[in-house]
Amino acid sequence: MRDLSTTETSTKRPGSRSPRRPLLLALGASALLSLAGPAHAAPARDPLPADIPGYQAALDLVKSADVRDAVCRFLSTPLPAGGGAPVQTIPETAEPCQGLPAFTVKDPVAVNEITPAFAAGTVQPLATEAVKLTQLVSSLSTTVNGRNATVMLNPTQGGGWHLAAIRDGDSDARYAGRASVGTLVFTEPQIRGWYQLRLTTVEPLNDQARQGLGGRAAVSLSEYQGLVKARYADKLPGSGYDVHGYSSGYSLPREADDTTSPTPLITGGSGAALALAGGTALILRRRRRANNA
């Protein structure tokens, strides 16, 4: 590593370049980049941990004993069979992790979702307008009795993060974790589609996303905006579709039902989740898809 505490000196030789020339060239290149516009801007990328507000607090939370105990209670309760199964109560135990194989909760990763304005077609098809960081998710280091789980953190009003739910499986964390340098991963939550954005090209990461792109291997961000606008523009919050009681085609996550219980509850089906808020448990209601209207 170079020692910056000392000052290097040199004697300027005749005919050597002026130190101002490289500076002027650098400034000129910077100006050209700024004039080039979004097409030549730095590639979109998922937020790095250092870019996520309150990330250290989120990291401390997923490593905490409270979250670990909640995961153990979730994994200790068999999933109900079928979506119509009654809600089950997770029993309270003094040592919820006793008897379970050892595991750790991985570092949280960012979940980006398409924004309502992008779906409505009221903003330009740019990465900064198209998606927004809405959640952090963590999976487990190993399966526990053949199951994995996803710890879901939502932003807390005023700053920070809180445990929102624990969901069976780890697909959200696996897809969110596929972001790499120069790419951004985001989800279209209504169809559970996961996509990767490379510069201005949208590529599907799962079958739902491939169906969402009409079977194409890639589309431009502008073309993708046209697709989601056709799907959701008339189903956004405040639309007739929303007002008449259906879950909107796209919106930020809604509040859970106001059904409360002194002990955690688990709902059945593939979207089973232990939902926690403020120390009490809530039952998450499954959204009705637009095509079921």
Side-chain angles (χ1 to χ4, degrees):
M1 181 174 179
R2 187 176 181 179
D3 184 1
L4 299 180
S5 64
T6 61
T7 303
E8 294 184 3
T9 60
S10 63
T11 302
K12 183 177 179 181
R13 290 175 294 181
S16 63
R17 295 182 178 179
S18 167
R20 293 182 58 199
R21 187 174 179 182
L23 176 61
L24 291 174
L25 289 174
L27 290 175
S30 177
L32 287 173
L33 286 174
S34 65
L35 291 173
H40 296 86
R45 61 171 174 77
D46 263 273
L48 296 175
D51 302 325
I52 297 173
Y55 185 78
Q56 184 59 52
L59 186 60
D60 293 342
L61 178 59
V62 299
K63 304 297 183 183
S64 68
D66 287 344
V67 166
R68 182 179 179 82
D69 287 350
V71 172
C72 289
R73 291 198 301 273
F74 179 83
L75 294 173
S76 297
T77 303
L79 291 176
V87 173
Q88 296 183 4
T89 299
I90 297 179
E92 288 285 355
T93 59
E95 298 291 339
C97 297
Q98 186 173 6
L100 291 179
F103 68 89
T104 58
V105 181
K106 294 180 181 179
D107 294 354
V109 293
V111 173
N112 301 293
E113 294 185 10
I114 56 173
T115 66
F118 178 77
T122 58
V123 296
Q124 293 296 313
L126 303 173
T128 52
E129 302 286 353
V131 302
K132 179 181 180 180
L133 172 67
T134 59
Q135 199 172 57
L136 300 180
V137 292
S138 304
S139 59
L140 308 185
S141 60
T142 185
T143 57
V144 177
N145 295 339
R147 290 171 60 187
N148 208 315
T150 297
V151 175
M152 308 167 71
L153 306 183
N154 280 357
T156 301
Q157 187 174 5
W161 300 87
H162 64 270
L163 177 61
I166 299 172
R167 175 181 291 168
D168 203 60
D170 63 349
S171 60
D172 286 0
R174 283 191 291 106
Y175 285 122
R178 290 182 63 173
S180 59
V181 175
T183 69
L184 184 149
V185 171
F186 67 92
T187 179
E188 184 184 333
Q190 188 66 21
I191 65 170
R192 293 197 60 77
W194 285 90
Y195 305 85
Q196 191 164 44
L197 178 60
R198 298 179 185 271
L199 293 178
T200 59
T201 301
V202 176
E203 302 172 355
L205 294 179
N206 63 357
D207 289 340
Q208 293 91 326
R210 277 183 281 276
Q211 293 173 7
L213 298 185
R216 286 178 285 179
V219 300
S220 70
L221 186 57
S222 178
E223 288 176 304
Y224 176 68
Q225 184 176 31
L227 292 172
V228 296
K229 181 179 179 181
R231 283 198 279 271
Y232 308 130
D234 61 344
K235 302 177 182 67
L236 292 169
S239 66
Y241 184 89
D242 181 44
V243 169
H244 285 88
Y246 296 101
S247 177
S248 59
Y250 176 75
S251 68
L252 296 178
R254 291 188 169 199
E255 295 292 330
D257 290 348
D258 57 0
T259 307
T260 60
S261 168
T263 55
L265 301 172
I266 183 172
T267 61
S270 60
L274 163 68
L276 304 175
T280 60
L282 306 177
I283 303 174
L284 292 183
R285 179 177 55 197
R286 178 178 296 180
R287 294 179 179 178
R288 277 179 281 180
R289 292 188 179 181
N291 58 11
N292 289 333

